[in-house]
Structures are given as structure tokens and as C-alpha cells.
């Protein structure tokens, strides 16, 4: 199976074209089952590879390369042929991510059969899903950073198509453009980082770049610049501060798309890329510290914004941004294992939460939690599974989040107690707003009688994926923690200088003390939103209205970016005016006019003076010649000599006279 790992990204890519072009569009087309079957095979192959890695049958890293293209070049005057290979590179994190992406994608596609049934672009939707998954899988297995970047951009294109799937509506059309342009802003930094890598190393092969860096050949300033460039790309794709403004608006796409984007594909790509190039950050402590603070700021800001959101999908979107901040912060403080551990567990319970939210939206036809309430009896399976996902993301034992999030907090404390307390506050906010979502949606009284009356449990094609993800949200953390499996699969030995001044926390206090604080946060959420009467929550909102408005306006980041866009438009308009009115009309056209004027003057002077003078001398010479011929008789040499002597005499007299 490992030798044919290259099939895992290629099969979904092939399936996407088959689904898109094989038959005509039909709301009841059977073509989506082609994508489901292909993804089922990819999952089986991924599980087989993962099992081989765990059992020791496969020795990692596994790398296989084939010649992509070659070209002639020279260095120092010596010509040679440069070959660009393309191939696969499978290590421990890649083996985990293959299972995560294929499993979540398969469950999302099965879930979408029920959710998207009857949509006029039903077949196209599944083609986009397969293409999206193929792009992410290519990014995971690629051994070449240039191919990784190509797959990275294909992930962006796929997200644009899926977020704006209902493009006839203004919301999705705007959200897709916003996501595309914001992520491209970050991708610029990644592109420059790749150029610098090639300029310094002369190769895009990950193993060759890693050897070059670990042997100390890369200058410190270059490691810092490359690390910050890669971080820019991760900030865009993984929605880190300040480029997180696109992710809440991405909720305009179909809910299964949100589950796939937020759990296993697009937003996971940035975190995975930082982990994939972790050797760069190991060579630059400043770049790694920047990663940690960007993740910490993101976790805090997103968690605070989720507290005041009432759109159920936006709450989950802010939750995703915050959890991605946890992962990035972990990577920045040296918690390589912790960051990838949380990336894995988060994929399961976040896919569960989004698909659970989709089940609710499918039932009540609204995203507003203020119009829900009391749905636990109408939708028991959805309620139980969403509760399990919320329990897991809050970090309560024995769910998956308990193991991965506490490991992050432990690593952050080793690096900086200040960062630990700030990140712990974000974790407490997570428990608060996630259980607030559960209480407002499923408990208490119904706040819209008509929507509550028509609400009903989703069909099995939607609830079975929820049940599978709920089980994984409980057992995946313990399974990866058992016998330190996650440390075996995803570990990176940093230089000793990183651990020279590490703090030493009490693991027992971190785990159970944090859990006690989380339970207190959940109790506060229950006090404000769990009962029939929510007047206390409303009174607090009235007293802190200014703060609530700031949070609802996302700290003004959207306003700031829109102002920057308008400023850029005005600068572009000014540049166009300056180019057309000043450069073109004055310097280009004006200089051309002056040149034409001088040309006309030159032509006039040439015609009046030069030409007439030349013609005059020509006519004079002709007249003199005629006169001389009258004086000189043909054939009389003596007369020729006489006139020549006369001419010489006149010339000598004239010369001596002057």
C-alpha cells in the first residue's frame, strides 16, 4: 500500500473530472457515489499505511521520486542539466493526516447526499468536494515544496468554488471573493519564502532543504525570512490574526463544506505546512517565537468574539480560529507533538459540530440560535452527538480534547507562564461559549413555535456520520495517547537551547486543575443561558454594551481591512490619474509634441535654408561651368593651362591678402 500512496491524491482528482464531465447535471444523479467509492478506497489504503507504520512494518520516512522536468543551466561557467523531481514523502504526521482527511471527507460526502439532495448543482458540488480533497491530499504527500505550493493554491481555488457554491446569492459570492483575496495576501509571503529557499539551497526537495538547514548552512537572517514567509501563508490559510477575517464569512457556503474546510482540509493546511517545515523554525528562535505569539493572539481574539455570536455556524467558525491558534501556539513554543495531536483530535469533533449544526439548520431552516431552543427532544441523536463534540472541545475527560489541549497547555507553561495563563483564559472561554451554543440550541424553551413544530431528526444518511464522529471524538485522544503513540508518530527533537530555560509544570495540576476551571466556566454558562430565564445574561449585555459591540464588530478588523481596500482603490485611481494626466499627457505626449515641433522647425530650416543653399551652389557651379566652357575652347591645352595659372594666381593673392 505504501508503494502506491501516490494513488491517494490522484484517484479523487480523477473522480472529480469524471463526476463533472461524464454526465449531465441532474439533482438525482448517481455520480456522487463515484466520489464516495473512491474516497472509501483512499480511506482503506490510508488506514493500511497507518497500521503498517504503527506495527513497524513500514520504516519512515518513505520517499519515492520521479523526474518531472529538466533544463540546461550553468554555475560558474560549467554547464549541467538540472532535474526537478516530483514524488511522495510519508512520515509519521503524514500517515496520521491521510487517515484524518480521507475519513472526514468520506463522512462529509455521505452526509452531503442527504443535505444537498435536490440541489440543482448536486453533481457539481460533489465534483468540487473530490477536487478539494485531492488538493489537500496532494499537499500532504508531496516531497517537493513547489508541488506542495501548487496543491496549496488548488486548495484555495477549491475553497473559492465551494464557499461561493450558491453564487447567485450576494452573501456567498462576497464571502468567496473575500476568502480568496485574503488568503492570496498570505500566499505572497509563502511564494517569496519558496523563492528564497531555492536561491539559497538550489532545491525544492524537502529532505534536501532539511539537510541543508540542519547542517547549519542556512544563514540566520535567511532562516528568519523564510520562516516568516511560510508563517504568512499559514496565517492566510489557517485564518490566523490578522488574516482571520475571511473564515467567519465562509459560513455562507453549504454546511458540509464548512465541516470539511474547518476540520481537515483548508484551515489544517497552514498548521500542517508549518509542521512540515519545522526544521526552518528550529533554526530561527525568533521566527518560532513569532509563531507562538500569533497563535496566542488568534486564540484569545477569536474566543472572545465567539462569546457574543448568535449565528450557530459563526460560533463554530470563531471556535475553529481559536483552536487553530492553540495549535500554532503549541508549534511556536516547541510543542510539535502537542500541535499535531490537537490538529488530529480537533478534526473529528469540529467536523461533528459543523455537521451537527447542519442537521439543526436542515431542521429549522435558520442559523440564529435565538430562534431555536428545546430541540433536544425533537432531535435526540443530533443533540447527543453535538453535546459529545462540545464536551470534547471543552477538554473534559475522557474525551479527545482532554488529552490534546492539556498537552498544549503543559508545553506552553514550560515556555512561558504568562502565555499559559492567557491561553488558559482562551480555553475557559471555549468551554463557556460552546456550552452556551448547546444550551441556546437544544435546551430551555422553544423561542419560535413554528420552527420548533416543524423540526425533526435528520435522516440516517446524516445522523450515521454524526455517530461515527462522536465515537472518534471520545476515543481518538486516548487511542493516540496510549503507549505514547502520538509521540512515536509525531515528534521533533529541538536543539537543547530551546529547553535550556524551560519551566517545569505539575502535570497532575495542569490536567485536573484546568478541568476544574473548565467545569466552573460551564457552570457560569449554564447560569446565564441554561434555564428558561435569561434576563441575567441580557442585563450583563446591557451593562457591557460597548464591549459587546466591539466584539460583534470583530474589534474593527473588517472595517480596517475594508478601509485598506478603499484606500488601495483610491491609490490605484490616483496612480491611474497621475499616469494618464501627468506621465502620459505631459512627459510622454508633451515630449512627443515638443519633438514634433522641433522636427517641423528643422524641416522648415532644411527646406528654406539648407536645401536652397545647396541648390544655389549647385546652380552657381553649373553656371560657372557653362561660362568656363564659353571661355575655354575644346581641345586647346594651352588655354586650359592659362586659365589654371590665372586661378592659382587669384588664389595666392587671396590667401596672402587674408
Amino acid at each position: 500500500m505504501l508503494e502506491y500512496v501516490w494513488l491517494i491524491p490522484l484517484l479523487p482528482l480523477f473522480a472529480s473530472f469524471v463526476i463533472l464531465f461524464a454526465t449531465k447535471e441532474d439533482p438525482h444523479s448517481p455520480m456522487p457515489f463515484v466520489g464516495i467509492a473512491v474516497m472509501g478506497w483512499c480511506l482503506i489504503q490510508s488506514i493500511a499505511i497507518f497500521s503498517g507504520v504503527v506495527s513497524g512494518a513500514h520504516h519512515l520516512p518513505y520517499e519515492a521520486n520521479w523526474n518531472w522536468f529538466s533544463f540546461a543551466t550553468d554555475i560558474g561557467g560549467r554547464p549541467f542539466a538540472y532535474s526537478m523531481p516530483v514524488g511522495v514523502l510519508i512520515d509519521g504526521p503524514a500517515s496520521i493526516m491521510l487517515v484524518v482527511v480521507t475519513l472526514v471527507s468520506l463522512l462529509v460526502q455521505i452526509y452531503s447526499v442527504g443535505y444537498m439532495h435536490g440541489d440543482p448543482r448536486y453533481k457539481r458540488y460533489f465534483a468540487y468536494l473530490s477536487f478539494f480533497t485531492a488538493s489537500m491530499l496532494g499537499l500532504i504527500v508531496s516531497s517537493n515544496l513547489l508541488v506542495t505550493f501548487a496543491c496549496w493554491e488548488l486548495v484555495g481555488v477549491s475553497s473559492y468554488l465551494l464557499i461561493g457554491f450558491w453564487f447567485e446569492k450576494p452573501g456567498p459570492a462576497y464571502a468567496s471573493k473575500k476568502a480568496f483575496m485574503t488568503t492570496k495576501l498570505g500566499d505572497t509571503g509563502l511564494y517569496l519564502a519558496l523563492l528564497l529557499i531555492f536561491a539559497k539551497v538550489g532545491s525544492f526537495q524537502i529532505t534536501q532543504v532539511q539537510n541543508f538547514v540542519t547542517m547549519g548552512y542556512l544563514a540566520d537572517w535567511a532562516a528568519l525570512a523564510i520562516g516568516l514567509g511560510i508563517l504568512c501563508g499559514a496565517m492566510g490559510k489557517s485564518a490566523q490574526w490578522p488574516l482571520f477575517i475571511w473564515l467567519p464569512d465562509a459560513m455562507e457556503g453549504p454546511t458540509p463544506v464548512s465541516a470539511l474546510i474547518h476540520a481537515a482540509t483548508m484551515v489544517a493546511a497552514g498548521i500542517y505546512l508549518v509542521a512540515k517545515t519545522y526544521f526552518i523554525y528550529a533554526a530561527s528562535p525568533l521566527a518560532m517565537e513569532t509563531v507562538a505569539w500569533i497563535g496566542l493572539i488568534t486564540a484569545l481574539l477569536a474566543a472572545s468574539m465567539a462569546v457574543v455570536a448568535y449565528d450557530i455556524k459563526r460560533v463554530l467558525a470563531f471556535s475553529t480560529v481559536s483552536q487553530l491558534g492553540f495549535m500554532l501556539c503549541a508549534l511556536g513554543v516547541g510543542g510539535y507533538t502537542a500541535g499535531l495531536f490537537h490538529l488530529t483530535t480537533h478534526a473529528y469533533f469540529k467536523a461533528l459540530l459543523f455537521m451537527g449544526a447542519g442537521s439543526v439548520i436542515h431542521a429549522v431552516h435558520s442559523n440564529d440560535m435565538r430562534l431555536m431552543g428545546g430541540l433536544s427532544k425533537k432531535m435526540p441523536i443530533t443533540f447527543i452527538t453535538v453535546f459529545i463534540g462540545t464536551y470534547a472541545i471543552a477538554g473534559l475527560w475522557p474525551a479527545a480534547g482532554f488529552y490534546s489541549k492539556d498537552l498544549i497547555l503543559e508545553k506552553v507553561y514550560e515556555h512561558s507562564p504568562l502565555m499559559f495563563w492567557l491561553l488558559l483564559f482562551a480555553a475557559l472561554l471555549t468551554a463557556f461559549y460552546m456550552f452556551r451554543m448547546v444550551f441556546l440550541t437544544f435546551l430551555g424553551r422553544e423561542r419560535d413555535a413554528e420552527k420548533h413544530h416543524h423540526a425533526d431528526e435528520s435522516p440516517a444518511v446524516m445522523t450515521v456520520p454524526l455517530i461515527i464522529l462522536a465515537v472518534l471524538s471520545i476515543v481518538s485522544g486516548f487511542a493516540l495517547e496510549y503507549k505514547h503513540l502520538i509521540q512515536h508518530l509525531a515528534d521533533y527533537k529541538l536543539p537543547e537551547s530551546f529547553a535550556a530555560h524551560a519551566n517545569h509544570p505539575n502535570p497532575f495540576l495542569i490536567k485536573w486543575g484546568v478541568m476544574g476551571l473548565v467545569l466552573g466556566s460551564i457552570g457560569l454558562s449554564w447560569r446565564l443561558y441554561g434555564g428558561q430565564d435569561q434576563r441575567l445574561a441580557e442585563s450583563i449585555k446591557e451593562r457591557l454594551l460597548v464591549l459587546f459591540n466591539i466584539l460583534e464588530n470583530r474589534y474593527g478588523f473588517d472595517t480596517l481591512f475594508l478601509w485598506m481596500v478603499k484606500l488601495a482603490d483610491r491609490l490605484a485611481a490616483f496612480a491611474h490619474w497621475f499616469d494618464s494626466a501627468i506621465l502620459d499627457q505631459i512627459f510622454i505626449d508633451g515630449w512627443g509634441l515638443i519633438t514634433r515641433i522641433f522636427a517641423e522647425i528643422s524641416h522648415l530650416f532644411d527646406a528654406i535654408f539648407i536645401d536652397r543653399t545647396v541648390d544655389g551652389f549647385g546652380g552657381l557651379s553649373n553656371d560657372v561651368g557653362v561660362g568656363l566652357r564659353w571661355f575655354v575652347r575644346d581641345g586647346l591645352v594651352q588655354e586650359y593651362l592659362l586659365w589654371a595659372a590665372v586661378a592659382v594666381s587669384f588664389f595666392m593673392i587671396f590667401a596672402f591678402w587674408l
Side-chain angles (χ1 to χ4, degrees):
M1 287 292 187
L2 189 58
E3 293 178 358
Y4 297 98
V5 67
W6 49 271
L7 287 173
I8 294 179
L10 292 183
L11 287 177
L13 180 63
F14 178 73
S16 67
F17 288 107
V18 171
I19 296 171
L20 191 62
F21 298 113
T23 60
K24 294 182 179 180
E25 187 62 79
D26 183 359
H28 306 285
S29 173
M31 292 304 294
F33 292 100
V34 174
I36 293 174
V38 167
M39 195 51 56
W41 168 257
C42 292
L43 175 60
I44 293 172
Q45 187 176 356
S46 299
I47 292 175
I49 293 172
F50 181 76
S51 301
V53 172
V54 172
S55 65
H58 299 320
H59 298 285
L60 299 181
Y62 168 80
E63 185 174 9
N65 293 296
W66 303 271
N67 189 38
W68 184 11
F69 63 87
S70 59
F71 56 89
T73 183
D74 66 90
I75 294 181
R78 296 183 178 182
F80 69 98
Y82 183 89
S83 296
M84 180 70 72
V86 60
V88 295
L89 175 63
I90 304 300
D91 53 10
S95 66
I96 298 173
M97 287 300 296
L98 284 176
V99 176
V100 171
V101 173
T102 54
L103 176 59
V104 172
S105 179
L106 175 62
L107 294 177
V108 166
Q109 292 194 39
I110 294 172
Y111 178 92
S112 298
V113 172
Y115 191 90
M116 298 296 291
H117 182 72
D119 191 279
R121 291 188 291 273
Y122 180 70
K123 184 174 70 74
R124 185 187 303 182
Y125 168 82
F126 281 89
Y128 291 167
L129 279 185
S130 292
F131 188 75
F132 195 14
T133 307
S135 303
M136 184 63 192
L137 291 171
L139 188 151
I140 291 171
V141 304
S142 174
S143 65
N144 185 294
L145 286 173
L146 186 60
V147 178
T148 300
F149 183 69
C151 294
W152 177 276
E153 293 300 317
L154 290 178
V155 167
V157 172
S158 306
S159 65
Y160 171 79
L161 296 173
L162 286 168
I163 294 170
F165 184 74
W166 291 317
F167 54 82
E168 62 273 10
K169 301 177 183 179
Y174 173 78
S176 62
K177 291 186 291 185
K178 186 176 183 179
F180 191 81
M181 296 306 296
T182 306
T183 55
K184 291 309 113 189
L185 186 62
D187 291 351
T188 304
L190 174 58
Y191 178 68
L192 294 176
L194 293 181
L195 293 180
L196 185 55
I197 287 175
F198 191 77
K200 292 296 179 180
V201 183
S203 174
F204 286 117
Q205 289 298 105
I206 294 175
T207 52
Q208 293 180 5
V209 176
Q210 184 173 4
N211 291 335
F212 187 89
V213 174
T214 53
M215 292 180 70
Y217 295 140
L218 188 65
D220 292 342
W221 70 267
L224 175 62
I226 293 170
L228 294 180
I230 294 173
L231 176 61
C232 286
M235 287 162 58
K237 280 287 189 294
S238 291
Q240 299 295 294
W241 175 82
L243 300 181
F244 57 22
I245 61 169
W246 68 268
L247 195 57
D249 294 297
M251 300 302 98
E252 296 289 347
T255 301
V257 170
S258 302
L260 191 59
I261 289 177
H262 287 249
T265 51
M266 185 169 178
V267 297
I271 304 299
Y272 182 76
L273 182 64
V274 172
K276 198 170 186 175
T277 57
Y278 206 59
F279 51 87
I280 297 288
Y281 297 95
S284 177
L286 181 56
M288 185 171 282
E289 189 72 15
T290 305
V291 168
W293 280 102
I294 291 292
L296 177 61
I297 293 171
T298 303
L300 280 170
L301 293 181
S304 62
M305 289 186 283
V307 171
V308 301
Y310 285 100
D311 186 312
I312 187 171
K313 290 177 65 176
R314 287 187 184 272
V315 172
L316 295 177
F318 287 126
S319 169
T320 299
V321 176
S322 182
Q323 297 306 303
L324 292 168
F326 273 81
M327 301 171 205
L328 198 67
C329 185
L331 293 174
V333 299
Y336 181 84
T337 302
L340 290 175
F341 191 10
H342 198 56
L343 178 64
T344 304
T345 58
H346 174 265
Y348 297 132
F349 51 70
K350 186 49 61 70
L352 166 62
L353 289 167
F354 265 106
M355 291 161 72
S359 180
V360 172
I361 295 168
H362 190 264
V364 301
H365 304 288
S366 175
N367 292 24
D368 195 338
M369 295 186 295
R370 290 170 292 190
L371 302 179
M372 301 176 190
L375 293 176
S376 59
K377 296 180 181 179
K378 304 282 286 187
M379 309 177 68
I381 298 177
T382 301
F383 166 63
I384 293 172
T385 53
V386 169
F387 180 83
I388 291 174
T390 305
Y391 187 91
I393 198 173
L396 296 172
W397 185 86
F402 173 79
Y403 297 95
S404 59
K405 186 177 291 186
D406 284 349
L407 184 58
I408 289 177
L409 292 173
E410 184 178 332
K411 291 297 181 182
V412 171
Y413 186 88
E414 290 178 2
H415 183 75
S416 168
L418 172 62
M419 297 179 73
F420 166 80
W421 290 110
L422 292 174
L423 202 62
L424 176 60
F425 181 66
L428 298 179
L429 287 178
T430 300
F432 177 85
Y433 66 72
M434 287 304 301
F435 274 92
R436 168 181 175 267
M437 181 197 74
V438 172
F439 298 150
L440 288 175
T441 304
F442 295 101
L443 301 182
R445 60 179 178 82
E446 65 274 12
R447 287 177 288 276
D448 190 307
E450 182 179 355
K451 292 184 182 298
H452 184 270
H453 175 71
H454 291 289
D456 199 4
E457 187 60 271
S458 299
V461 72
M462 296 173 65
T463 55
V464 169
L466 294 179
I467 295 171
I468 295 173
L469 288 169
V471 173
L472 290 170
S473 297
I474 294 295
V475 304
S476 61
F478 175 77
L480 290 171
E481 179 71 15
Y482 183 67
K483 292 186 178 180
H484 305 289
L485 177 61
I486 187 65
Q487 284 86 352
H488 171 68
L489 294 174
D491 191 20
Y492 192 95
K493 293 183 179 179
L494 289 168
E496 295 181 359
S497 58
F498 279 90
H501 305 288
N503 302 288
H504 300 287
N506 186 330
F508 179 85
L509 186 62
I510 291 288
K511 287 183 180 296
W512 302 107
V514 168
M515 185 172 172
L517 293 174
V518 167
L519 289 173
S521 180
I522 296 171
L524 177 61
S525 181
W526 169 260
R527 177 67 182 85
L528 296 177
Y529 300 101
Q532 302 287 343
D533 186 3
Q534 298 174 5
R535 285 181 295 180
L536 179 58
E538 293 298 325
S539 64
I540 293 175
K541 181 177 180 179
E542 290 178 1
R543 293 177 183 177
L544 302 175
L545 189 60
V546 175
L547 177 60
F548 272 71
N549 289 334
I550 292 174
L551 295 178
E552 287 180 344
N553 292 325
R554 307 178 194 177
Y555 293 98
F557 281 108
D558 277 46
T559 304
L560 174 63
F561 273 88
L562 289 175
W563 176 82
M564 292 175 64
V565 170
K566 291 180 180 179
L567 177 63
D569 290 341
R570 291 177 180 175
L571 289 175
F574 173 77
H576 173 72
W577 171 83
F578 185 80
D579 180 66
S580 59
I582 305 299
L583 294 180
D584 284 353
Q585 294 187 14
I586 295 179
F587 290 98
I588 307 299
D589 297 340
W591 185 255
L593 178 62
I594 292 173
T595 304
R596 290 184 59 186
I597 292 173
F598 276 105
E600 291 295 331
I601 294 173
S602 175
H603 173 71
L604 183 64
F605 182 82
D606 183 68
I608 294 177
F609 295 100
I610 303 300
D611 285 354
R612 291 188 178 182
T613 301
V614 172
D615 293 342
F617 276 104
L620 178 62
S621 299
N622 184 62
D623 293 342
V624 170
V626 171
L628 289 175
R629 288 186 63 186
W630 183 80
F631 285 104
V632 179
R633 296 180 180 178
D634 295 336
L636 298 178
V637 177
Q638 294 85 349
E639 290 188 13
Y640 297 165
L641 294 174
L642 175 63
W643 288 110
V646 171
V648 169
S649 300
F650 276 111
F651 176 76
M652 295 298 293
I653 293 170
F654 182 74
F656 284 116
W657 182 266
L658 294 178

